[in-house]
Amino acid sequence: LQPYRISTGSEVDLANVSSDDQLQFDGGKRDAKRYLKELAAEIAELQDRLHAAKKHRVLIVLQGMDTAGKDSTIRDIFNRTNPLGLDTVSFAKPSDEELAHDYLWRIHEHAPMLGGISIFNRSHYEDVVVVRVKKLVPEQVWQRRYYHIRAFEQMLADEGTIILKFFLHISKDEQRDRLQERIDIEEKHWKLAEADFTERRFWDDYQAAWGQAISETSTDQAPWYVVPSNRRWYRKVVIAEIIRDSLKALGSEYPSPSFDPTGMLLT
Ligand code: AMP
Ligand code: MG
């Protein structure tokens, strides 16, 4: 899975990165679905240990173009995990109150606590991408944010946070098919926003902004993974496996109790 990890300092041009690749899993959709269930169960077990050990914090950032599959990735990877151990946050357009503060204000309060996992569905990366494409702030303002973001994430990592960032990479054709599906199926209409159609016109600008954001902020402490996401099953298995491996690497153990409960008498 290392092939999808962006090494520090490398230049990412998303136009040259495959969104179709499926080389890291030998098997088809059915095998993947079965395997994903196993991974979700393992992640649930590892989260339980993480919570009990209270030694680390885990932050997972999900980004991607509209319809890339951020929501269903969260649903299918964490559907066995105890909700008490998760803080899942969607960052949409900032409110007036949020806009009145600095852009990391609304983000920082959701950074994970000891033993916890925070999942960001969109994140502070919107503040160097959508604001750039839609010209919501001047260039000098978003340019210097790469530096802030690296420093912010470094601080979180120094304080014991494991950070994993995933860009769900789909092609423009794949997005067309998914939007068309939402148009064709009435039960999916609610998922459509007018913005999905207007933002699609800025596809190339978004790809350029994402390429630079990823290049500028993939670090050893907070790496980006660009995950081929045209196949839904493949994207989920790849992300689940990286999360499983990262949690496993923490080696969280259940702590021994502060007293010996064997032989305790209950009255
Ligand atoms: P959705 O995830 O489909 O509910 O859409 C959320 C929308 O909020 C997307 O269009 C994002 O680009 C937008 N959004 C998220 N964060 C920001 C931000 N910091 N500034 C402006 N728009 C944002
Ligand atoms: Mg949307």
Side-chain angles (χ1 to χ4, degrees):
L1 297 171
Q2 294 307 318
Y4 302 134
R5 183 176 170 141
I6 306 303
S7 49
T8 307
S10 61
E11 293 257 328
V12 180
D13 179 358
L14 288 174
N16 297 327
V17 180
S18 171
S19 41
D20 274 320
D21 174 55
Q22 50 171 311
L23 290 172
Q24 305 303 316
F25 186 74
D26 353 284
K29 185 171 171 174
R30 272 197 176 184
D31 307 311
K33 285 196 164 169
R34 202 174 316 122
Y35 183 43
L36 182 62
K37 284 190 183 153
E38 290 171 26
L39 288 169
E42 264 190 276
I43 288 170
E45 152 90 28
L46 289 161
Q47 182 279 327
D48 201 50
R49 290 170 177 275
L50 177 84
H51 167 75
K54 292 208 171 24
K55 295 239 165 74
H56 297 96
R57 313 170 162 89
V58 177
L59 172 60
I60 296 169
V61 173
L62 294 173
Q63 289 281 178
M65 299 292 287
D66 288 319
T67 75
K70 301 183 290 293
D71 301 11
S72 62
T73 296
I74 296 170
R75 181 192 66 207
D76 292 345
I77 293 179
F78 291 100
N79 59 9
R80 299 288 298 276
T81 302
N82 185 347
L84 282 173
L86 297 175
D87 182 11
T88 309
V89 207
S90 293
F91 291 101
K93 263 175 95 145
S95 66
D96 287 345
E97 189 191 16
E98 288 167 345
L99 278 177
H101 290 82
D102 67 86
Y103 68 99
L104 289 175
W105 179 76
R106 67 172 182 160
I107 306 292
H108 197 175
E109 70 165 318
H110 290 288
M113 54 186 175
L114 274 179
I117 300 179
S118 290
I119 304 169
F120 286 3
N121 184 14
R122 301 187 191 269
S123 65
H124 43 301
Y125 284 95
E126 298 290 336
D127 295 292
V128 286
V129 174
V130 66
V131 302
R132 164 180 174 176
V133 172
K134 305 313 293 287
K135 300 189 168 38
L136 302 178
V137 300
E139 173 165 358
Q140 68 179 81
V141 171
W142 58 256
Q143 278 284 2
R144 63 190 180 206
R145 289 181 176 175
Y146 299 130
Y147 160 74
H148 304 155
I149 289 174
R150 282 192 300 267
F152 172 62
E153 293 178 353
Q154 176 75 56
M155 180 279 288
L156 294 178
D158 288 347
E159 294 287 317
T161 308
I162 311 308
I163 306 174
L164 301 169
K165 302 180 291 193
F166 298 99
F167 182 76
L168 282 53
H169 184 38
I170 55 169
S171 63
K172 195 175 180 190
D173 284 348
E174 180 66 23
Q175 191 195 53
R176 189 210 300 111
D177 292 349
R178 292 185 187 185
L179 286 173
Q180 189 64 51
E181 195 180 305
R182 290 183 184 181
I183 295 169
D184 294 344
I185 302 175
E186 214 177 304
E187 291 72 35
K188 292 196 175 185
H189 282 182
W190 68 272
K191 285 192 182 183
L192 286 166
E194 264 175 284
D196 296 343
F197 301 95
T198 46
E199 295 320 288
R200 184 173 158 78
R201 292 191 213 123
F202 296 95
W203 181 272
D204 293 341
D205 294 342
Y206 272 109
Q207 297 287 296
W210 274 116
Q212 193 184 356
I214 292 166
S215 308
E216 292 275 356
T217 61
S218 204
T219 60
D220 293 346
Q221 304 78 13
W224 274 105
Y225 293 85
V226 176
V227 181
S229 298
N230 278 359
R231 287 184 186 75
R232 293 176 168 97
W233 56 268
Y234 185 72
R235 164 251 292 167
K236 289 179 208 169
V237 162
V238 167
I239 296 175
E241 212 167 31
I242 295 169
I243 293 172
R244 191 271 316 267
D245 292 351
S246 307
L247 290 177
K248 215 171 181 173
L250 297 178
S252 304
E253 299 285 353
Y254 291 113
S256 24
S258 52
F259 62 97
D260 181 6
T262 47
M264 292 275 287
L265 286 178
L266 296 170
T267 55

